[in-house]
């Protein structure tokens, strides 16, 4: 297992993550002062984003059901728990966008190579009612 997002387990096959990217930072406010560089005041964290790029090979390895599950999780709007394959918890994220690019279409219009980019945005943990529906989806 390379990564888990909610109920979607990403392994070498069929849902193969090839790279990830994390953006995080802080917000500062400049305080104008005469005669010197303005001091900066820390005001908090910026929105943290995380993106995962994966490749699917549906004809050889499958993976279209995982893509459907990913889109269903995005449409639910509920935060999903993200964990790296070594067991490190990365926290709760909402699925902001799923971008798909299909190449080498077969006779039925299904791509032989599908590149998927998942854009996540850090979120607070869900409330107890939402948490129950998320956990029931994992079972």
């Amino acid at each position: 297992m390379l990564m888990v997002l909610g109920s979607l387990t990403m392994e070498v096959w069929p849902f193969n993550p090839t790279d990830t990217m994390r953006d995080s930072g802080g917000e500062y406010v400049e305080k104008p002062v005469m005669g010197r560089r303005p001091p900066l005041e820390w005001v908090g964290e910026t929105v943290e984003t995380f993106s995962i790029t994966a490749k699917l090979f549906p004809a050889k390895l499958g993976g279209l059901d995982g893509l459907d599950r990913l889109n269903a999780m995005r449409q639910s709007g509920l935060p999903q728990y993200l964990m790296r394959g070594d067991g490190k918890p990365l926290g709760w994220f909402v699925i902001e966008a799923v971008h798909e690019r299909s190449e080498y279409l077969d006779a039925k219009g299904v791509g032989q190579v599908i590149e998927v980019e998942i854009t996540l945005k850090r979120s607070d943990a869900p409330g107890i009612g939402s948490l129950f529906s998320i956990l029931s989806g994992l079972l």
Side-chain angles (χ1 to χ4, degrees), residues 58-71:
K60 303 233 186 254
L61 303 174
L64 291 178
D65 57 334
L67 191 55
D68 291 341
R69 191 171 333 125
L70 177 64
N71 279 309

Side-chain angles (χ1 to χ4, degrees), residues 10 20 25 33 40 43 50 67 71 83 89 98 102 104 117 138:
M10 297 179 220
T20 62
V33 176
L40 300 175
V43 293
F50 195 89
L67 191 55
N71 279 309
M83 183 173 66
V98 176
S102 298
Y104 311 110
E117 184 176 335
L138 293 175

